[in-house]
Amino acid sequence: MRLSFFPVVLSFVAAGSNAIPLRVDKRDCVKRQANGTSPVVPINAQNSPSSGPAQDGVNALNNVQGGIVPANFAASDSSGPGGQGSCPGFRNVVFNTGAPTMAGWPQTTWGSLAKHGVDKWIGFSLDTIDKKLTYNVGSVPAATTPDFNARQINVAMDPNDVTAALELLKTNPPAYLELYNEPDYSFQGLTPMTDAIAAAEQLQPFFDMEHPQTTYISPGLAYANSQWLKDFRDHCKNCFEQIPIISQHIYSPDAAFVVDEVKKLHETFPDKKIWITELSPATPDCLLDRAGVINWMNQVVRDIQALGYVEKIFWNSGEHGTAANSMAAGSCNPSLTNPDGSPTDLLLAYGQLCGGGAPVTDPSATS
C-alpha cells in the first residue's frame, strides 16, 4: 500500500474490511527507495540544455506532445509480453484511496487510461472499492462501474481479510488474488506488519482448498529481495507450487537500480512470472523534472519488458496527485490523469510504450 496524494482514510488497527478510520494528509503508504541500500542516482535531476539523458527526456516530452512517436518509445527486440511492437495486458495502474475524490472519477479517468492501453488496475481492497471504507468520499461510497470493477485485481490485504477472502473464493472467485499487501512494511505504524512464518500459517487455508478459477499472486512486498519471501516459501506447505506470479513493489528515481531489482528477484525465483504491482520513480528524494519522469518511464518499461519474464506492470498512480502530498518534488509527480480525468503527458507516453496506442496529434483532444 503506498501512494495517496489526498487526505485519505487509514486504520489504527488494520487495513482489513472493518478498520477504524483515521484521516492522514499524506500518501497512505509513502514509499521508500526499494530496499534502501542503493544510492539515488537521478536520470535527470534538473533541466539542462546539454546533451544526454536530460535533453533526451525533453525531446521525448516534446515529441509526445507534438504527436510524434520517437524511436525509443517502440518496443525493443524481445520475447516479452505481447512481442515486439505490442504489449497487450502489460500496462496497468494503481488506484489509491484518494482516487474517487477526482472530478473525472470514474468514467472519464478510466476511459482515458483504457484508451491509452491500460488493461487492469490494482488497489487496496479485497472487494470492489465501493465496499471499502478507505475509498469513501466523506461518508459516500466510491463510485464504480461494472467494466471498471471487472478490471480490478483483488487483494487480501492482511490477516483481517483472510476469512472474507476464503468465502470470496467459494462464492464469487476472482481471476486473480494477491495474498497480502506489504506485510513487510508499515506506514507510520498504521498498517499491520506480518512476519513470513506467521503469514505462512495464516494463508495455509488458501493452499489447502481447490481454487480452479483463481490464480494466486504472492504477497506484494515492499522489499521483494529480502529474506521475507524465502522464509514464507520455506514454511508454507505446498504453497509455492500454487503461486505462479511473484508480486514486487519498486520505487526509485534510479532507473538502472529498478531494473536490477527485478533481475535479482528473477534469479531467486527463476520459475515464476513477475508482476510489478507498484512502480514509480516518485520518492521523497526524487528530483526528476517532467521530461525526466517520461525518460525514466521510457527506459524502465522498455528494459523490463525486454526481460521476458515480467508479465505486467502497474504504474502508480492512475489518478491525479498534488505535488504537496506526493512527498516528492512537484515535477516528479507520477500522475497519469488530471483531476478531470483527462490524460497527462505521462499517460500519453505510457500509451506509446512498446508500440501501444496511436500517435497523439492533439493532446487536448485525448480526454
Side-chain angles (χ1 to χ4, degrees):
M1 182 163 33
R2 199 91 35 4
L3 299 171
S4 187
F5 296 111
F6 301 91
V8 299
V9 181
L10 286 181
S11 169
F12 277 113
V13 180
S17 301
N18 298 314
I20 301 172
L22 169 70
R23 298 196 68 82
V24 180
D25 290 322
K26 291 185 179 179
R27 298 180 181 188
D28 60 336
C29 282
V30 179
K31 187 56 181 174
R32 62 276 130 205
Q33 179 186 354
N35 65 7
T37 60
S38 173
V40 176
V41 183
I43 299 174
N44 177 24
Q46 298 178 0
N47 284 318
S48 169
S50 62
S51 60
Q55 190 63 30
D56 290 344
V58 172
N59 291 337
L61 175 59
N62 291 337
N63 286 341
V64 169
Q65 291 177 329
I68 302 170
V69 182
N72 63 351
F73 274 107
S76 57
D77 291 337
S78 73
S79 58
Q84 184 178 359
S86 175
C87 53
F90 186 67
R91 290 160 300 179
N92 307 275
V93 299
V94 178
F95 282 127
N96 300 280
T97 55
T101 66
M102 298 293 98
W105 181 267
Q107 288 93 337
T108 304
T109 299
W110 182 249
S112 294
L113 292 164
K115 181 177 180 179
H116 292 280
V118 172
D119 182 48
K120 296 186 184 299
W121 65 274
I122 195 167
F124 308 108
S125 181
L126 173 63
D127 210 329
T128 54
I129 62 173
D130 56 306
K131 298 180 178 68
K132 183 74 171 180
L133 292 177
T134 50
Y135 280 89
N136 278 9
V137 181
S139 59
V140 179
T144 65
T145 68
D147 178 64
F148 178 78
N149 290 340
R151 300 288 181 165
Q152 179 182 359
I153 302 297
N154 303 71
V155 183
M157 291 291 294
D158 55 56
N160 294 278
D161 274 347
V162 166
T163 300
L166 291 170
E167 184 62 25
L168 183 68
L169 289 173
K170 298 175 184 177
T171 59
N172 188 26
Y176 297 97
L177 179 65
E178 182 176 281
L179 301 171
Y180 287 5
N181 179 75
E182 294 196 350
D184 59 334
Y185 176 75
S186 179
F187 171 61
Q188 296 185 354
L190 296 171
T191 54
M193 294 181 67
T194 308
D195 69 70
I197 298 174
E201 180 179 354
Q202 294 159 3
L203 294 171
Q204 190 61 50
F206 291 91
F207 308 111
D208 293 339
M209 68 182 296
E210 297 292 330
H211 52 95
Q213 299 180 62
T214 302
T215 298
Y216 290 155
I217 306 169
S218 81
L221 298 182
Y223 308 118
N225 287 310
S226 68
Q227 188 63 30
W228 198 101
L229 200 55
K230 301 172 193 174
D231 288 343
F232 177 79
R233 173 196 61 193
D234 295 342
H235 286 85
C236 60
K237 299 175 182 178
N238 302 316
C239 66
F240 249 58
E241 298 87 343
Q242 300 180 55
I243 298 177
I245 300 166
I246 302 294
S247 174
Q248 183 174 27
H249 297 174
I250 318 178
Y251 294 79
S252 172
D254 180 350
F257 172 76
V258 170
V259 178
D260 284 345
E261 285 293 291
V262 180
K263 291 178 178 178
K264 288 178 184 177
L265 187 62
H266 176 66
E267 289 172 0
T268 305
F269 305 102
D271 60 331
K272 306 296 184 183
K273 292 294 184 179
I274 294 174
W275 286 15
I276 304 176
T277 48
E278 294 183 20
L279 177 67
S280 171
T283 61
D285 45 11
C286 179
L287 300 177
L288 300 177
D289 62 17
R290 293 299 296 160
V293 174
I294 287 180
N295 192 53
W296 185 99
M297 173 188 278
N298 177 43
Q299 179 180 344
V300 167
V301 176
R302 176 198 63 205
D303 290 350
I304 287 175
Q305 192 207 15
L307 296 174
Y309 46 77
V310 178
E311 283 191 335
K312 295 182 183 294
I313 61 172
F314 292 74
W315 183 268
N316 198 351
S317 62
E319 79 276 5
H320 178 75
T322 63
N325 285 324
S326 70
M327 303 298 289
S331 60
C332 192
N333 190 318
S335 306
L336 294 181
T337 56
N338 294 306
D340 64 358
S342 61
T344 64
D345 50 9
L346 198 57
L347 177 54
L348 304 186
Y350 199 46
Q352 292 170 340
L353 287 168
C354 57
V360 177
T361 57
D362 179 9
S364 67
T366 60
S367 59

